[in-house]
Amino acid sequence: MTQSLSFCLDLNKLNDLAENHWKSYAEAEPFPHIVIDNFLPESVLDEILEEFPKPGQINWRQFDAAAEKKLASTSELQMGEATRFLLYQLNSSVFLKFLEKLTGISGIIPDPYFQGGGLHQIERGGFLKMHVDFNKHKGFGLDRRLNMLIYLNKNWQEEYGGHFEMWDREMTHCIKKILPIFNRCVIFSTSDFSYHGHPDPLTCPEGITRKSLALYYYTNGRPPEEISGTHSTVFQARPEDNLNSKPSPVPLKTLVKKFIPPIIFDLGKAINHKS
């Protein structure tokens, strides 16, 4: 049996971690979060890194737009055995209790489908502009409340870039930059104002990629002050960005034609012509 398949999360260690950091999590700026180094046994993540698929090795979902250029897994069947076992543990009751104690959010629900999560990989030149996340699970209609990222980048250098950035809610400036080094974990509360991303293109050498595991957690409902309409990922430009991500406005005439039966529309045109 491999090291990763014999490893189980330690409830006592997680309880101590939550007990020691719940206050700093709640008070963190610009939104509640925590950065934990040496989060898991290094040998466990070594195995996951070894089986992490290269670009082109699996059918990655490819994003290539003004706002994002990255790769993401589409199914747990694309992952190796060690990776799947770890992700299952991070969706377990043991880990959910830790998250509840750390964040103060009760009734946390995992996502067994890893919608939008799983394996993420960025190649040289790739990026993910500043954004807030989709706020409802497409299948369950649950409210997205927490993100967790575990980085798998050994010997990652400052000059490679790829920093995880957190910005203020007005998107005027960056509050915190986090280098995505190996075995560094970031947990943060997600809302309509939790702007985050790694907006500058990676400058790492060819053949080196920025790798991470991503898990998202939900609740059935959320505090009234956090409730807004359902939305997908919303990108927000920094002062120096030009995302060009907004579609051209649809002409009113086109919208009217979509909802009025053609016979009525043609009749209206005939009447106007006669008058």
Side-chain angles (χ1 to χ4, degrees), residues 129-197:
K129 297 295 186 180
M130 303 307 299
H131 65 283
V132 293
D133 297 307
F134 66 86
N135 61 357
K136 291 279 189 179
H137 191 284
K138 291 180 181 178
F140 303 147
L142 298 170
D143 295 274
R144 182 168 167 182
R145 304 294 300 282
L146 292 173
N147 290 2
M148 182 171 75
L149 305 171
I150 301 175
Y151 295 111
L152 301 172
N153 308 301
K154 283 200 169 184
N155 304 313
W156 193 263
Q157 304 299 311
E158 188 82 27
E159 59 267 26
Y160 293 175
H163 296 79
F164 178 75
E165 297 188 12
M166 300 180 179
W167 281 53
D168 66 303
R169 63 188 295 159
E170 289 80 25
M171 273 297 297
T172 60
H173 63 286
C174 178
I175 302 295
K176 192 167 188 176
K177 294 179 69 171
I178 301 165
L179 196 67
I181 61 173
F182 185 75
N183 207 1
R184 173 169 282 173
C185 172
V186 181
I187 302 171
F188 64 97
S189 297
T190 180
S191 72
D192 285 353
F193 307 103
S194 56
Y195 289 107
H196 62 279

Side-chain angles (χ1 to χ4, degrees), residues 62-126:
Q62 299 185 36
F63 298 83
D64 191 359
E68 55 186 335
K69 187 176 181 181
K70 66 176 187 176
L71 304 174
S73 60
T74 59
S75 167
E76 64 189 275
L77 298 179
Q78 297 174 317
M79 305 172 193
E81 187 178 54
T83 304
R84 291 168 70 180
F85 185 72
L86 176 61
L87 294 183
Y88 296 158
Q89 288 201 71
L90 297 174
N91 274 352
S92 70
S93 61
V94 169
F95 198 71
L96 297 183
K97 288 175 182 176
F98 157 70
L99 290 176
E100 290 181 341
K101 190 170 185 179
L102 173 69
T103 67
I105 299 173
S106 60
I108 292 176
I109 302 168
D111 175 19
Y113 294 94
F114 306 109
Q115 184 182 109
L119 311 181
H120 290 175
Q121 184 162 204
I122 314 292
E123 299 177 89
R124 177 182 170 86

Side-chain angles (χ1 to χ4, degrees), residues 195-237:
Y195 289 107
H196 62 279
H198 54 96
D200 295 313
L202 288 184
T203 56
C204 55
E206 291 289 348
I208 294 178
T209 62
R210 181 186 189 274
K211 304 175 184 69
S212 60
L213 303 178
L215 293 100
Y216 308 141
Y217 301 91
Y218 299 79
T219 58
N220 184 14
R222 67 191 309 154
E225 64 271 16
E226 294 184 9
I227 294 176
S228 67
T230 301
H231 60 75
S232 59
T233 301
V234 178
F235 289 96
Q236 179 66 46

Side-chain angles (χ1 to χ4, degrees), residues 14-29:
L14 290 173
N15 280 338
D16 290 344
L17 190 62
E19 184 65 34
N20 292 332
H21 295 286
W22 68 267
K23 192 172 187 294
S24 58
Y25 180 93
E27 295 175 351
E29 294 291 344

